[in-house]
Amino acid sequence: MNLSGNKILEELRDEWLKECIIECSVYPGHDLASSVVEPYNCLLAGANSFALSDLTFLMDNQASYKVCKKKMAVQHPTFDHINGLMAQVVSITTSSQRFTSTVNANLDELAVNLKPAGDYKYCAMGLAPIAPASAGSKETFSTAADN
């Protein structure tokens, strides 16, 4: 069975009508475009997914490409670099679902707190600080008390 992203969202919405569905949409950029029609397909899919998801996190391939190139010091970013960056952002955003804490929020609370208005379903995602992998080797982390 070959399912597109919107078809999967339709199946999820039909199966779990009362559950909160959060979607991560990646908008194409010209540096990594594999097809001329990617922007059009993305806009058409976005119009359909508006009715299917409760909250949509927007991610931009072009902006991620620039972050990998300028902030992470990757000469020629590939999809692996960009997908790793986006996966890290999504992982951080949804960490309250995986770890126990007193300030955890379920998906419904997450959707309510991130939406500025009732029908507005789109949120931009961010990550800070961003540094190249080589910068991590210069950091020292310790739980020992300072004397």
Side-chain angles (χ1 to χ4, degrees):
M1 178 185 278
N2 185 9
L3 295 175
S4 69
N6 278 332
K7 184 64 176 168
I8 292 171
L9 278 175
E10 286 176 14
E11 296 289 328
L12 286 171
R13 181 52 70 200
D14 289 343
E15 187 71 27
W16 292 288
L17 186 61
K18 295 186 179 193
E19 297 296 324
C20 181
I21 295 177
I22 294 180
E23 173 189 18
C24 298
S25 293
V26 180
Y27 282 79
H30 61 80
D31 285 329
L32 294 171
S34 60
S35 171
V36 176
V37 295
E38 276 184 11
Y40 304 108
N41 290 341
C42 189
L43 288 175
L44 291 172
N48 190 35
S49 71
F50 182 81
L52 300 172
S53 64
D54 297 305
L55 181 66
T56 301
F57 293 125
L58 299 176
M59 293 180 272
D60 181 12
N61 250 355
Q62 188 64 32
S64 299
Y65 180 86
K66 288 179 182 177
V67 166
C68 286
K69 195 166 187 147
K70 293 179 181 177
K71 299 288 186 186
M72 297 173 65
V74 178
Q75 289 284 338
H76 303 288
T78 63
F79 280 117
D80 288 339
H81 296 107
I82 294 169
N83 288 343
L85 179 65
M86 290 183 181
Q88 189 174 8
V89 172
V90 171
S91 175
I92 290 168
T93 304
T94 59
S95 64
S96 67
Q97 303 301 303
R98 295 184 306 279
F99 303 107
T100 57
S101 173
T102 57
V103 292
N104 276 358
N106 62 28
L107 289 179
D108 291 322
E109 291 169 342
L110 189 67
V112 168
N113 292 333
L114 292 176
K115 289 194 289 188
D119 284 344
Y120 189 81
K121 298 181 181 186
Y122 300 102
C123 296
M125 300 176 79
L127 175 66
I130 298 175
S134 60
S137 62
K138 297 178 182 121
E139 298 288 330
T140 57
F141 299 101
S142 173
T143 57
D146 293 332
N147 293 335

